[in-house]
Amino acid sequence: MARQLVHSPARRLFGGALGSGRAAPAAAAGASERRGSSSSAAAAAGKKYVVTERHGTIMTVGINRPEVRNAVNQETAAMLLQACTSFEDDTSLTVAVLHGIGGNFCAGYDLKELAHNPTSIKLEQDVTKGPGPMGPSRIKFSKPVIAAVSGYAVAGGLELSLLADLRVVEQSAVFGVFCRRFGVPLIDGGTVRLPRLIGLSRALDLILTGRPVGAQEAYEFGLANRVVPNGQALQCAIELAKQISAFPQQCMRGDRNSAYYSAFDAASFTEAMQFESDTGVQIILKESVPGARKFILGEGRGGKL
């Protein structure tokens, strides 16, 4: 189960846009299914602002407001939270791929909504009791998430991309703290995750100036993990997710969890090392010994996955 700051759908922020119960488990592994997260207003308009699709053990989560470059309003944020919670809770799913539909990842929070109805956002300031404005930004996933980034990933959209473990980025993609020019703060983890990811100096360059950062510079910074041709981010991210899903899962997740603990939670080198050891010992009998037996039979040698 996740080490989550937000465990249940957040009615505090979104005024009940999500139902009182948990999302139903996804379909059985191996099925391919397209689903739209529901809410009353979106359903009435026939619009699915978040579309989920299943590829075996992989779930794709697509933001579907292309007419506003996938800017997130309250409904969309609630749907994103619901989709991400559903992924986290479904033990048959291994990796999620977050992407934007229609050519852009996400242009941040919908400032038109904020301007026209500034009292609509009831932000829970205690981060242990409610979600961030963008929806799932306060979740600490127990399983890998990949962001497939096309077009703009700016302001809150940049923050959503930082929620992922890896970012597969198209050549024409643009990152940036574009909310700098409008006096909108980073309150979806941007000031927390970005310095850890690319270092304080480079993070401050983006945070203070609000300048655009292209795919190549993002790759040099370590913000982008892969740069791919335009139009291929989603497919490349799904292929990467399949590769990750093929590994022994408990070992992979244990190492991932230890890396995050070392980066964000450990008070000292010794504490981080102890956590790594404690986590690893639990895996050895479950996956390492069977893996060693496969090795002596010739599997996985020569660098083959």
Side-chain angles (χ1 to χ4, degrees), residues 121 123 127 131-134 137-138 156 159 179 184-191:
I121 300 179
L123 180 63
V127 299
M134 298 295 290
S137 58
R138 293 174 180 172
E159 293 182 286
C179 51
V184 178
L186 296 172
I187 50 176
D188 280 277
T191 66

Side-chain angles (χ1 to χ4, degrees), residues 112-279:
K112 289 184 179 178
E113 180 174 86
L114 182 62
H116 293 155
N117 192 11
T119 62
S120 64
I121 300 179
K122 299 176 177 62
L123 180 63
E124 174 56 67
Q125 289 187 284
D126 186 337
V127 299
T128 67
K129 294 181 178 179
M134 298 295 290
S137 58
R138 293 174 180 172
I139 295 177
K140 297 173 74 174
F141 290 99
S142 66
K143 299 179 285 189
V145 177
I146 300 172
V149 179
S150 59
Y152 286 101
V154 297
L158 167 64
E159 293 182 286
L160 278 183
S161 78
L162 299 177
L163 182 63
D165 300 271
L166 302 172
R167 280 149 296 280
V168 177
V169 178
E170 293 184 2
Q171 291 172 334
S172 62
V174 176
F175 294 93
V177 185
F178 283 15
C179 51
R180 178 59 56 235
R181 68 194 72 173
F182 302 114
V184 178
L186 296 172
I187 50 176
D188 280 277
T191 66
V192 178
R193 294 187 175 102
L194 191 61
R196 290 290 190 182
L197 191 66
I198 64 174
L200 180 60
S201 178
R202 285 173 169 166
L204 286 174
D205 183 359
L206 273 64
I207 291 169
L208 297 182
T209 68
R211 69 179 180 86
V213 174
Q216 187 57 42
E217 186 178 12
Y219 180 75
E220 293 168 357
F221 276 10
L223 180 56
N225 299 95
R226 309 279 194 280
V227 177
V228 301
N230 292 337
Q232 295 186 22
L234 178 57
Q235 186 56 44
C236 290
I238 291 173
E239 290 302 317
L240 181 57
K242 290 179 180 178
Q243 293 175 24
I244 294 172
S245 298
F247 294 127
Q249 290 297 292
Q250 291 185 44
C251 181
M252 181 274 295
R253 292 178 191 174
D255 286 348
R256 174 188 178 275
N257 190 34
S258 182
Y260 274 109
Y261 185 85
S262 175
F264 289 99
D265 298 320
S268 67
F269 174 79
T270 302
E271 185 178 320
M273 290 291 287
Q274 188 63 58
F275 185 90
E276 180 188 68
S277 178
D278 293 344
T279 302

Side-chain angles (χ1 to χ4, degrees), residues 2-6 80-81 84-85 88 135-141 163 193:
R3 296 188 302 114
Q4 287 182 248
L5 295 179
V6 180
L80 279 172
L81 178 62
C84 289
T85 302
E88 178 63 30
S137 58
R138 293 174 180 172
I139 295 177
K140 297 173 74 174
F141 290 99
L163 182 63
R193 294 187 175 102

